[in-house]
Amino acid sequence: MKLLPFYMIGNNIFIDAHFLSSISKPYIRILLVRSNLKLEQEGEKLEPIPLDHVIKLLEDGYVDLKSLSEKKERLDSLDYLLSSLYNPGWYFRKREAEITSSSLLRIYDLAYKLVLKKLRDLSRVDVVFVSISFSNDSILINGKEDRIYTTLFKSDSNFKKAILNSLSG
């Protein structure tokens, strides 16, 4: 069994210390931060990346998120006028997608702020481990399918390659 390293901050924040750099879209790195994990001790431990590099990756992800938020497409007044007159369904679908995206980016923003603040405030960070495995196109953390790791595995070729290399060796 392979063991995936996490940096534990306080008693309840765990940051992936192995695959964080393998995510293609930096702003979603925050998805590899967890609040509760069952720790494991027995197995082959994957090598953690240095904590200062993890902090830099998270800071870069936060900068990327801010950049993405600023570039978000905005509807201009002509869009509002024309779409409501000629295709109200298109207008409402576009607004719904915009609201969903905006809400998700806000959640990521809050999570980044919390994690980065805790990282800066703490003097001690521990490395802990959880089991990781692969079965039927799913990534299992502590024997249960992890939806985030599985989704990233299926959608991000860099992440998939890193997982397969780590678990096959």
Side-chain angles (χ1 to χ4, degrees), residues 50-63:
L51 179 60
D52 58 337
H53 187 60
V54 167
I55 293 169
K56 176 80 170 108
L57 288 168
L58 288 172
E59 288 171 343
D60 291 348
Y62 185 60
V63 168

Side-chain angles (χ1 to χ4, degrees), residues 26-55:
Y27 73 94
I28 62 171
R29 289 180 181 144
I30 195 67
L31 295 177
L32 296 188
V33 175
R34 301 301 169 93
S35 61
N36 289 313
L37 287 175
K38 179 183 153 228
L39 307 180
E40 295 282 340
Q41 297 299 323
E42 300 297 321
E44 181 185 341
K45 295 177 178 175
L46 298 174
E47 190 67 31
I49 55 180
L51 179 60
D52 58 337
H53 187 60
V54 167
I55 293 169

Side-chain angles (χ1 to χ4, degrees), residues 122-137:
L122 286 178
S123 58
R124 182 169 173 226
V125 177
D126 296 317
V127 177
V128 297
F129 294 87
V130 300
S131 69
I132 183 169
S133 56
F134 172 74
S135 175
N136 299 328
D137 279 343

Side-chain angles (χ1 to χ4, degrees), residues 67-128:
S67 167
L68 182 66
S69 296
E70 290 169 5
K71 291 178 187 174
K72 241 178 26 171
E73 184 179 345
R74 306 240 186 262
L75 294 174
D76 62 16
S77 58
L78 186 59
D79 249 353
Y80 284 110
L81 178 64
L82 293 177
S83 61
S84 63
L85 291 175
Y86 295 106
N87 191 349
W90 174 84
Y91 167 74
F92 287 115
R93 280 191 304 278
K94 189 169 182 179
R95 293 294 297 157
E96 181 180 8
E98 187 178 285
I99 290 167
T100 301
S101 172
S102 182
S103 298
L104 190 58
L105 293 176
R106 180 73 179 136
I107 291 168
Y108 288 177
D109 181 69
L110 293 171
Y112 268 115
K113 285 178 182 173
L114 173 73
V115 170
L116 290 170
K117 180 182 182 330
K118 288 212 179 229
L119 276 170
R120 290 182 192 110
D121 291 347
L122 286 178
S123 58
R124 182 169 173 226
V125 177
D126 296 317
V127 177
V128 297

Side-chain angles (χ1 to χ4, degrees), residues 146-164:
D146 187 282
R147 290 176 51 197
I148 291 173
Y149 279 79
T150 299
T151 300
L152 288 170
F153 180 80
K154 291 177 179 178
S155 64
D156 185 333
S157 61
N158 289 342
F159 190 77
K160 182 176 188 171
K161 186 163 61 166
I163 292 263
L164 292 175

